[in-house]
Amino acid sequence: MATASVAFKSREDHRKQIELEEARKAGLAPAEVDEDGKEINPHIPQYMSSAPWYLNAERPSLKHQRKWKSDPNYTKSWYDRGAKIYQADKYRKGACENCGAMTHDSKACMERPRKVGAKWTSKHIAPDEKIETFELDYDGKRDRWNGYDASTYSRVIERYEARDEARRKFLKDQQLKKLEEKNNNQNGEDGEAVEAGISDEDDDEDDLRVDEAKVDESKQMDFAKVEKRVRTTGGGSTGTVRNLRIREDTAKYLLNLDVNSAHYDPKTRSMREDPLPDADPNEKFYGGDNQYRNSGEALEFKQLNIHSWEAFDKGQDMHMQAAPSQAELLYKNYKVIKEKLKSQTKDDILEKYGNAATEGELPRELLLGQTEREVEYDRAGRIIKGQEKALPRSKYEEDVYINNHTSVWGSWWKDHQWGYKCCKQIIRNSYCTGAAGIEAAEAATDLMKANIARKEATEEMPTPLEEKRVATWGTEIPDDLVLDEKLLAEALKKEDQRKREEKDERKRKYNVTWNDEVTPEQMEAYRMKRFQRDDPMNNFPQH
């Protein structure tokens, strides 16, 4: 079996080799052992067990069937995005002339082109990027999700949740505005206008509801799109196919994944029962095929078939498939005759027994019949003795006072808010403070109005600010300080020259002399030329 490239064998040796292999397969002879001491399965075919001639195998072995190439060190890691290695303080030879990084040249630089590159300024040197190389296997090179962080999907969820929350808030605000408009207009309207307002409000609420199943215009255009079928090499004919299903709809067999739910027949693509029987009917878009079978024209067609079958069983020459127009005409005549018979039966019953609903008003003696109940009244009309007439009671608790209140919640209304009349509080379930709370609330309101009026008065008449003259090193200028006009003019010119050098650093000289002594004229020039950020005249155009 697992032999090396064997030399020429005689017929007798070949016969002995075949007998030995048969004995090994039958288990009568021990299995062949490879060079590692492992037994070789005798049932392995020869074309798999025999080694190629160019391997020069001396002993039987299956080594040539094993993976003999060593795998490189494949990695599952990915590039460290945005990682920086080192940031230099000055420009280095061979670095990018634009940003100063050593890991790329100026052609491959992704930074905005500077007016003066880092090679000449040696400022704002960009850090070196981290460059990595990976040995990826076959799957790693073709993995389109390699390096993807699944935690970033939470941002997508947060964005959609924020959008839904904003939508709910907008709808709630719109409904509150409608309620406020209704309450404001309710006092000046009569009963008919109130009913009309209620109906208008219902219409507005219907308009405010967002239809999540609504498709935009582009998708609706695709719904009516007509696609051409072209002749192919395999056959077929030309024609048109209409795209009747919006691809964003959920398939009916995916509405309920429970195996015990409504059965779906993939061959006919039908689902008779409702896949979601416990869901809200107002929110369901699909209620099973039986919903369409038992409603609309399908129900009329079903009744037409039943009528034709029953008429055929009774001996009438009528067939729905053979003569559909005749069957439909006979069914219409049957319905007309049935309605006449029903109305005639009703008229006979009314003529014989009468109709209490159409009779006139009953006599007053029958409506106000005599009773055995005795009631005694006083001069004011109050009942002294007898059974009092029972008043209708609500299913809710009435006149229940909590937290020391003497009135119920909703007995007071102010600024579109309900409250308690006893203490004029608008916080529900709060403790009653009585007259003291009303006085404290009024005092707080008066104080707030006074503060607002005082603030408005101060804003109308702003207090003039005294301009303080500051001396050389920040103190107030004494009255006896005198500045030389010529020295001050020279100091202003030097300050302008210094600012121009700061704007354009290339004009700065290499040998710079520095003097720590500052004269009052130089300090005054610096103070006059410096940029005041809180000065309202900074943005004013200067000529």
Side-chain angles (χ1 to χ4, degrees), residues 215-232:
V215 186
D216 58 357
E217 296 179 357
S218 62
K219 295 186 176 64
Q220 288 179 359
M221 291 171 63
D222 292 340
F223 178 75
K225 183 180 179 181
V226 178
E227 297 177 355
K228 297 282 186 179
R229 286 179 56 192
V230 187
R231 290 184 183 271
T232 58

Side-chain angles (χ1 to χ4, degrees), residues 138-262:
Y138 182 86
D139 295 331
K141 292 177 182 178
R142 291 156 180 82
D143 188 6
R144 59 196 294 252
W145 296 100
N146 199 351
Y148 174 72
D149 188 6
S151 61
T152 57
Y153 188 69
S154 60
R155 302 176 186 172
V156 180
I157 298 175
E158 292 175 358
R159 184 169 68 252
Y160 277 93
E161 288 179 351
R163 186 191 66 180
D164 295 339
E165 183 66 25
R167 180 183 298 157
R168 286 193 294 268
K169 186 177 179 181
F170 174 75
L171 292 177
K172 188 174 181 181
D173 294 341
Q174 293 293 329
Q175 292 175 357
L176 289 176
K177 288 181 181 179
K178 296 294 180 181
L179 289 175
E180 290 178 1
E181 292 177 359
K182 177 191 171 185
N183 293 330
N184 292 333
N185 301 330
Q186 191 174 6
N187 296 329
E189 296 178 352
D190 53 359
E192 295 179 358
V194 169
E195 293 179 359
I198 292 174
S199 62
D200 293 341
E201 180 191 358
D202 295 337
D203 296 338
D204 294 338
E205 289 181 358
D206 294 337
D207 294 338
L208 287 175
R209 293 192 183 97
V210 179
D211 190 6
E212 296 294 341
K214 191 174 291 184
V215 186
D216 58 357
E217 296 179 357
S218 62
K219 295 186 176 64
Q220 288 179 359
M221 291 171 63
D222 292 340
F223 178 75
K225 183 180 179 181
V226 178
E227 297 177 355
K228 297 282 186 179
R229 286 179 56 192
V230 187
R231 290 184 183 271
T232 58
T233 56
S237 60
T238 58
T240 57
V241 176
R242 190 174 296 277
N243 186 10
L244 294 178
R245 186 171 73 85
I246 302 173
R247 297 302 174 185
E248 284 72 17
D249 292 345
T250 305
K252 62 177 75 173
Y253 52 84
L254 296 178
L255 293 175
N256 191 351
L257 301 180
D258 188 5
V259 294
N260 297 323
S261 62

